[in-house]
Amino acid sequence: MPMIIVFIIILLFFTPFAIYSPGENRNRGVVTALGIDRVEDEYEISLLTFIPTANQSYQEKSSVISGKGSSVAEAIYNAQIAMGRSVGLAHAKTTVVNEKLLEEDVASSIDYLSRVASLPENTVFVCTNKTAKEMLENSQDLVNDLGLKLEQVIGYNANNLYVTDTSLEAFYKGYFSPTKSSLIGYLTIEDEENKSNENSEISSPQNSGSDQNQGTQSSGGSGATNGNPSHIVNQGQAVLLKSGKKVAVLNIEQLNGINILNPKSVNQIITVDGIEKNGQTISLQYKIKTKKTLVSSKFENGYPIYIAQLVLGVELVEVDGVEDSLKVNTEFSEVTKEIAEKIELQIKRQFTDSINILRECNTDVLGIARQFFFHNRKEFMKFLDGIGGEEAVDKFIDYVTFKLNMVVQPD
């Protein structure tokens, strides 16, 4: 009986307080995406914020709120003032930076957010050709028009376009590695009238915004800064970073070349031209459905050799750009010796092109130096001393000879 009386007293004391106390969302804003821009001498932090709203469509309501300041800390503080709530970044799945920020060490711009503001390390880290604020404004209509969220457009895992991990954690791992090399995703914003790539993966109209003194907020509507509708375009590009600075923008073929050694990297399309069938010259497109990789490293005559054995399972998906013809021309599904050689030649060309870029930029996002260090440590350190010591580790890839052996077969 005494325990029951105590329990009843606790209920009578705390229940009214719990019922009538304001919800946590009144004091804290839930940020699902974050944008960082540099406007003249000021930083601008834009927050894609979830707004809890009762509705019958089961769609999330969101708003873009911005704040400016001489530092990232001041900018995010002013964004909180504009929001009227404290900011919680634990749910931020995407971090977008403007391409101009990559002209300097971008780590200095995100250091406060990751170290003090607790930005999660698994957030997807990308950059854009226009402002990060525009990217977040465009992303609002992705849910309304296409049912997609921004992180789905970026598609950085094995089931989507990017296979290379472009998370904040992956960026820092590359940034603090001996070669100081990283890859992050790259999305462009294109005006409707200037949009040249009609086969882009995803696009969405942009929202308009209204400026305030300390912050800006945008939600609803459509349009663009110049009055023209704009779109988020995913062309499969990635930015190559060295010490946090942009050194190159990789296109989809160059990114595929880097990912050819990644066993999770599948679904790339390989085009085979100049195939003679029944007196006609046709083009075939194959998709890599499965991949098995086996890599090894060694030193031969004092020089590093990197060997990769690939077994690729491919599937025919198009003939001369007409998918329906596959129903008739099923004999094309056979991977002949000629087709296998052309697929192998194209993959090696993509890989060579990617390696040349890495060498020109003194970068190593493939982990080649790490592979030799762990498996041939003594010879690796001896070779490194001969080319300039540990400070020259980012130039090690210049001296590596790559040997790719592959077997192409129908999946």
Side-chain angles (χ1 to χ4, degrees):
M1 289 296 294
M3 294 297 296
I4 295 177
I5 293 174
V6 171
F7 180 70
I8 294 174
I9 292 174
I10 292 175
L11 287 179
L12 292 176
F13 182 79
F14 286 104
T15 300
F17 177 78
I19 292 175
Y20 294 104
S21 62
E24 182 67 17
N25 61 291
R26 294 188 182 183
N27 301 320
R28 181 174 294 272
V30 179
V31 176
T32 59
L34 175 76
I36 311 174
D37 293 300
R38 190 71 180 267
V39 182
E40 296 179 350
D41 294 331
E42 288 187 315
Y43 285 97
E44 182 175 22
I45 300 295
S46 301
L47 308 173
L48 182 62
T49 309
F50 168 66
I51 308 296
T53 305
N55 61 76
Q56 296 180 348
S57 62
Y58 301 101
Q59 291 186 349
E60 295 181 358
K61 299 293 183 180
S62 60
S63 177
V64 177
I65 301 172
S66 300
K68 296 180 181 179
S70 58
S71 65
V72 173
E74 183 180 354
I76 199 169
Y77 174 74
N78 289 333
Q80 291 182 106
I81 295 176
M83 186 190 303
R85 298 175 176 88
S86 60
V87 171
L89 300 181
H91 297 282
K93 297 181 179 179
T94 308
T95 299
V96 185
V97 296
N98 177 258
E99 191 174 4
K100 292 182 178 179
L101 279 175
L102 302 181
E103 296 175 359
E104 301 177 355
D105 186 357
V106 71
S108 61
S109 300
I110 61 175
D111 177 67
Y112 173 82
L113 296 172
S114 58
R115 180 172 51 85
V116 179
S118 301
L119 182 67
E121 291 186 347
N122 63 349
T123 179
V124 181
F125 188 37
V126 298
C127 78
T128 182
N129 60 324
K130 293 191 177 180
T131 66
K133 180 181 178 181
E134 288 182 76
M135 174 69 70
L136 299 186
E137 289 173 343
N138 273 276
S139 70
Q140 293 181 86
D141 282 344
L142 289 173
V143 177
N144 297 331
D145 298 341
L146 301 176
L148 291 174
K149 296 183 179 180
L150 183 58
E151 60 269 16
Q152 292 175 295
V153 180
I154 296 167
Y156 68 99
N157 59 25
N159 296 322
N160 296 291
L161 192 56
Y162 289 147
V163 179
T164 302
D165 185 6
T166 65
S167 67
L168 189 63
E169 180 183 12
F171 163 76
Y172 274 125
K173 283 183 178 179
Y175 181 81
F176 290 110
S177 69
T179 58
K180 302 178 181 179
S181 308
S182 306
L183 270 180
I184 66 172
Y186 185 69
L187 298 180
T188 60
I189 301 176
E190 297 184 7
D191 294 337
E192 180 66 22
E193 61 179 9
N194 296 327
K195 185 181 176 185
S196 57
N197 186 359
E198 296 297 334
N199 296 321
S200 59
E201 294 293 325
I202 298 292
S203 64
S204 171
Q206 177 184 341
N207 295 330
S208 61
S210 58
D211 293 337
Q212 298 178 0
N213 292 330
Q214 295 289 354
T216 59
Q217 180 172 348
S218 329
S219 61
S222 62
T225 305
N226 299 324
N228 300 315
S230 60
H231 296 74
I232 296 175
V233 181
N234 190 341
Q235 297 177 339
Q237 296 174 298
V239 177
L240 182 63
L241 300 177
K242 173 73 171 182
S243 299
K245 299 180 181 179
K246 181 186 75 173
V247 292
V249 177
L250 306 180
N251 59 33
I252 182 64
E253 287 197 353
Q254 293 163 345
L255 190 62
N256 285 342
I258 287 178
N259 282 325
I260 194 62
L261 300 180
N262 187 341
K264 296 181 180 180
S265 174
V266 292
N267 296 329
Q268 290 97 341
I269 300 297
I270 305 296
T271 301
V272 179
D273 297 319
I275 301 298
E276 298 290 337
K277 283 287 185 179
N278 301 324
Q280 294 182 336
T281 302
I282 61 174
S283 297
L284 305 177
Q285 287 194 330
Y286 288 86
K287 177 188 290 187
I288 298 178
K289 296 282 290 188
T290 60
K291 180 191 298 183
K292 296 179 181 179
T293 61
L294 179 63
V295 298
S296 61
S297 59
K298 65 179 181 178
F299 280 84
E300 201 170 272
N301 298 323
Y303 284 89
I305 309 292
Y306 191 90
I307 304 170
Q309 179 70 41
L310 307 175
V311 179
L312 306 179
V314 299
E315 178 187 54
L316 181 66
V317 292
E318 286 189 7
V319 177
D320 273 336
V322 182
E323 190 175 355
D324 291 341
S325 64
L326 292 179
K327 300 176 182 178
V328 179
N329 299 312
T330 54
E331 70 275 10
F332 293 152
S333 298
E334 179 186 2
V335 180
T336 64
K337 182 179 179 180
E338 178 189 10
I339 292 174
E341 289 177 350
K342 287 181 176 290
I343 292 176
E344 181 178 348
L345 182 63
Q346 182 168 343
I347 290 175
K348 288 184 176 180
R349 179 186 60 79
Q350 292 178 349
F351 181 75
T352 301
D353 187 21
S354 302
I355 292 297
N356 289 337
I357 293 176
L358 297 182
R359 285 171 171 169
E360 291 173 5
C361 301
N362 291 330
T363 53
D364 180 12
V365 292
L366 291 172
I368 301 299
R370 184 174 62 250
Q371 171 85 6
F372 279 90
F373 175 77
F374 284 118
H375 297 279
N376 315 82
R377 180 174 301 185
K378 185 177 180 180
E379 294 174 288
F380 173 76
M381 297 303 297
K382 181 180 179 181
F383 185 85
L384 208 60
D385 291 337
I387 62 173
E390 295 183 7
E391 294 78 10
V393 65
D394 54 355
K395 297 182 176 61
F396 176 77
I397 195 172
D398 292 347
Y399 302 90
V400 179
T401 298
F402 292 91
K403 295 183 179 181
L404 262 66
N405 304 313
M406 62 185 71
V407 176
V408 180
Q409 59 191 22
D411 181 62

